[in-house]
Amino acid sequence: MGFSMQPYGIQSMLKEGHKHMSGLDEAVLKNIDACKQLSTITRTSLGPNGMNKMVINHLDKLFVTNDAATIVNELEVQHPAAKLLVLAGKAQQEEIGDGANLTISFAGEILQGAEELIRMGLHPSEIISGYTKAINKTIEVLEELVEEGSENMDVRNTEEVIYRMKAAVASKQFGQEEILCPLIADACIQVCPKNPANFNVDNVRVAKLLGGGLHNSTIVRGMVLKSDAVGSIKNMEKAKVAVFAGGVDTSATETKGTVLIHNAEQLENYAKTEEAKVEGLIKAVAESGAEVIVSGAAVGEMALHFCERYKLMVLKISSKFELRRFCRTTGAVAMLCQPNPDDLGYVDSVSVEEIGGARVTIVRNEGGGNSVSTVVLRGSTDSILDDLERAVDDGVNTYKAMCRDSRIVPGAAATEIELARRLKEFSFKETGLDQYAIAKFAESFEMVPKTLAENAGLNAMEIISSLYAEHASGKTKVGIDLENGVCADISTMNVWDLYVTKFFALKYAADAACTVLRVDQIIMAKPAGGPRRDQQPGGGMDED
């Protein structure tokens, strides 16, 4: 190396190769910038007319979607501050299952407001205190906007469910919500337990089958397995089911043993006993009354032969989770050895059907209080199917959320404009520098109507000003009618959002934004593995 410059200041304290950024310009504004970039990506996908993004992840898998949670999951976000927003989006996705886009876009928007305030000379801590006051006020106002009488709903009434689910599904698959919502609502209501608060999202399955169109989609009470039956028997009605967790095979002994065979007779006998053992096992299953065998691993040739002989239908489910769900559907208990009649499950029908060139096994269990239902989605390409699946997921998650808290607030940006208006008024009452931060926070709500209007190709400024005018005259339920490009009362259009979705989205966004603003220094350790990174062809950042 020869003589290199002696490090000084903070550099001399840290190991060489550390990066250190501090101060408003370097740290805070750079962080805000990174977050703004992220929210620019998600923002154009907000709402029903949102654009799709094409994301190709490091495994070369292609995603075409406008579901923000999927987009930010597949982008490998490197910047530590932007990662905070990604985490907020993920938290929203796990908590509610919808509204991740609002979270990320809104956080980016209030950070942009913060940047303008910093450039005006406010200190980040003043902005944070203003934002904290603002979010608390927002939550108060949000409570007042809840539609009266919406807190008690019948979660088993399809119409009420669709009423609340429509907005969530429409924001993913605009124009198809009329077809999708009844399907999803139906599927959810079928698996809804006695106490709706215990609704389990996992019990609504999605089976994606290529071919056909969305209108061919159906709903099955029970499961759809993407495999054929193993033997020659392809359907059974009202049958008992035996489930084996392991395979059904000859080498069912757990221990390894070496057998010395002296002459030919012994060899013949050995083969015979093995055969007899397998036959004994299958016979015992048949005698216990089971007509369908489900195996978690391979089914041996010999075992299959005896199954055919005893007229048993054989299914193979290789995934452990699918096997568990199958047990849930049929009420069977997975066995390891000789069957016990009490452990058998029951199905109304098991049949192998051909759908769009793929053979699937449909396990139906029409009994009430059913524990699993499947939405069979049809579509022309894999990407479309994946996106439909996300819409269904959102719908199901919304159902879960409404089981816990069914309050609704006006959708189509009506809520946001009202929040913006009320916060503006609130900021005038504040003294001190907080008022600027609160006013910025209030302005940030305009992002939602602005984005909805822009994504639909309308003139955003006109729409926002007419929304403000309507709301100022006391019509708090006026939102954007995207199809006709005008402002309309959303209670006539039936666009409602769940209160919890909004509540958590705004809360997480404000939290994430304040966290980003609280950072004033970034100290990055030297990446492990020495200087290798910079010397690689193709730049340094490809590795993580």
Side-chain angles (χ1 to χ4, degrees):
M1 278 280 291
F3 175 76
S4 68
M5 230 182 94
Q6 281 298 311
Y8 62 95
I10 287 194
Q11 302 297 326
S12 66
M13 175 183 79
L14 301 170
K15 263 165 81 175
E16 74 173 319
H18 272 67
K19 284 204 195 87
H20 172 253
M21 304 167 204
S22 70
L24 278 182
D25 282 344
E26 277 201 356
V28 183
L29 295 179
K30 277 218 176 89
N31 282 352
I32 291 179
D33 197 49
C35 299
K36 273 182 3 199
Q37 300 297 332
L38 184 66
S39 74
T40 327
I41 296 177
T42 57
R43 175 184 298 160
T44 49
S45 299
L46 184 71
N49 295 53
M51 295 303 178
N52 282 358
K53 301 278 177 273
M54 231 179 206
V55 183
I56 299 166
N57 70 358
H58 58 264
L59 301 172
D60 267 355
K61 184 163 167 20
L62 173 71
F63 293 87
V64 180
T65 173
N66 58 14
D67 177 39
T70 312
I71 297 169
V72 295
N73 266 340
E74 296 309 327
L75 291 177
E76 295 195 354
V77 177
Q78 178 100 44
H79 195 285
K83 270 201 184 122
L84 288 171
L85 292 202
V86 174
L87 290 173
K90 276 191 187 156
Q92 173 75 5
Q93 189 69 15
E94 278 158 25
E95 186 78 35
I96 308 294
D98 183 33
N101 199 332
L102 179 60
T103 310
I104 295 170
S105 304
F106 186 66
E109 190 68 23
I110 52 184
L111 281 171
Q112 178 155 5
E115 180 184 3
E116 289 162 19
L117 292 170
I118 288 174
R119 292 200 192 287
M120 277 164 51
L122 258 76
H123 190 270
S125 59
E126 287 157 348
I127 301 175
I128 292 172
S129 81
Y131 277 4
T132 314
K133 279 185 189 164
I135 189 71
N136 294 338
K137 180 70 179 168
T138 306
I139 286 165
E140 273 174 45
V141 176
L142 196 60
E143 297 246 332
E144 295 166 23
L145 294 178
V146 172
E147 179 69 1
E148 283 160 31
S150 69
E151 56 280 338
N152 37 22
M153 74 172 274
D154 172 14
V155 288
R156 289 189 176 71
N157 175 346
T158 322
E159 288 200 347
E160 285 191 36
V161 173
I162 293 177
Y163 192 65
R164 289 170 164 74
M165 195 185 279
K166 210 164 108 183
V169 177
S171 71
K172 293 285 175 288
Q173 290 291 329
F174 189 47
Q176 321 219 143
E177 66 271 19
E178 300 299 330
I179 310 175
L180 272 174
C181 283
L183 281 177
I184 304 172
D186 221 24
C188 292
I189 291 168
Q190 281 178 13
V191 297
C192 189
K194 297 258 186 309
N195 172 10
N198 299 337
F199 177 76
N200 182 0
V201 190
D202 202 32
N203 288 346
V204 177
R205 308 300 309 154
V206 175
K208 299 178 288 192
L209 297 169
L210 269 180
L214 185 59
H215 51 270
N216 302 47
S217 303
T218 50
I219 173 174
V220 174
R221 304 191 80 164
M223 284 181 74
V224 176
L225 305 172
K226 279 194 167 178
S227 58
D228 198 350
V230 186
S232 60
I233 302 171
K234 299 297 186 198
N235 51 4
M236 276 285 182
E237 299 280 318
K238 300 198 172 24
K240 286 189 170 168
V241 190
V243 178
F244 289 95
V248 183
D249 204 356
T250 45
S251 59
T253 51
E254 283 299 303
T255 51
K256 289 265 180 290
T258 316
V259 185
L260 258 160
I261 293 176
H262 291 293
N263 52 25
E265 272 151 53
Q266 282 177 327
L267 183 59
E268 275 177 0
N269 289 341
Y270 181 70
K272 276 209 186 74
T273 50
E274 201 167 22
E275 219 167 288
K277 263 196 106 106
V278 178
E279 177 165 21
L281 175 67
I282 305 294
K283 192 170 174 201
V285 173
E287 278 169 359
S288 69
E291 296 173 272
V292 181
I293 288 188
V294 176
S295 146
V299 179
E301 289 287 310
M302 199 184 294
L304 194 54
H305 162 76
F306 287 115
C307 289
E308 295 283 303
R309 187 186 283 178
Y310 285 106
K311 300 254 182 305
L312 298 177
M313 180 174 180
V314 184
L315 293 177
K316 175 172 171 258
I317 303 180
S318 45
S319 144
K320 282 272 181 291
F321 295 103
E322 281 291 277
L323 200 63
R324 271 188 214 143
R325 281 185 209 114
F326 183 85
C327 290
R328 270 216 302 264
T329 313
T330 56
V333 180
M335 308 173 257
L336 294 167
C337 49
Q338 293 288 346
N340 172 2
D342 307 343
D343 290 348
L344 295 181
Y346 173 79
V347 288
D348 281 332
S349 76
V350 182
S351 58
V352 177
E353 294 176 21
E354 198 160 302
I355 299 184
R359 302 198 72 133
V360 292
T361 309
I362 297 184
V363 183
R364 286 197 174 82
N365 209 344
E366 303 284 342
N370 178 22
S371 47
V372 178
S373 67
T374 305
V375 180
V376 180
L377 292 177
R378 309 294 312 280
S380 43
T381 67
D382 280 333
S383 299
I384 292 179
L385 284 173
D386 286 343
D387 221 24
L388 283 173
E389 180 183 20
R390 286 185 202 107
V392 174
D393 274 351
D394 267 16
V396 176
N397 278 315
T398 310
Y399 183 82
K400 180 180 182 184
M402 75 179 87
C403 286
R404 282 190 286 171
D405 182 348
S406 65
R407 290 177 295 176
I408 49 180
V409 292
T415 307
E416 279 79 3
I417 281 285
E418 187 58 21
L419 288 172
R421 203 176 65 85
R422 301 279 289 271
L423 274 180
K424 272 262 177 55
E425 286 172 12
F426 174 64
S427 75
F428 296 144
K429 297 194 185 76
E430 277 292 310
T431 51
L433 289 171
D434 290 355
Q435 59 178 358
Y436 297 107
I438 296 173
K440 274 284 183 247
F441 197 89
E443 265 170 46
S444 305
F445 281 112
E446 290 177 12
M447 182 237 11
V448 176
K450 187 164 135 233
T451 309
L452 287 178
E454 277 173 6
N455 288 349
L458 311 171
N459 179 343
M461 284 293 118
E462 261 175 43
I463 296 259
I464 290 180
S465 49
S466 56
L467 280 175
Y468 269 131
E470 294 276 353
H471 280 248
S473 62
K475 299 183 189 155
T476 54
K477 288 185 196 155
V478 173
I480 309 176
D481 177 356
L482 287 175
E483 291 187 15
N484 308 323
V486 290
C487 299
D489 186 337
I490 55 97
S491 50
T492 55
M493 299 190 301
N494 278 343
V495 183
W496 299 97
D497 289 340
L498 278 180
Y499 164 77
V500 274
T501 311
K502 281 269 186 288
F503 173 85
F504 279 112
L506 299 175
K507 196 165 153 33
Y508 285 150
D511 283 354
C514 288
T515 312
V516 173
L517 288 173
R518 279 202 181 95
V519 174
D520 75 328
Q521 296 196 359
I522 310 173
I523 301 165
M524 286 201 267
K526 183 172 69 171
R532 238 185 42 245
R533 283 186 103 142
D534 314 339
Q535 293 164 7
Q536 277 177 330
M541 288 302 199
D542 311 339
E543 269 170 77
D544 306 350

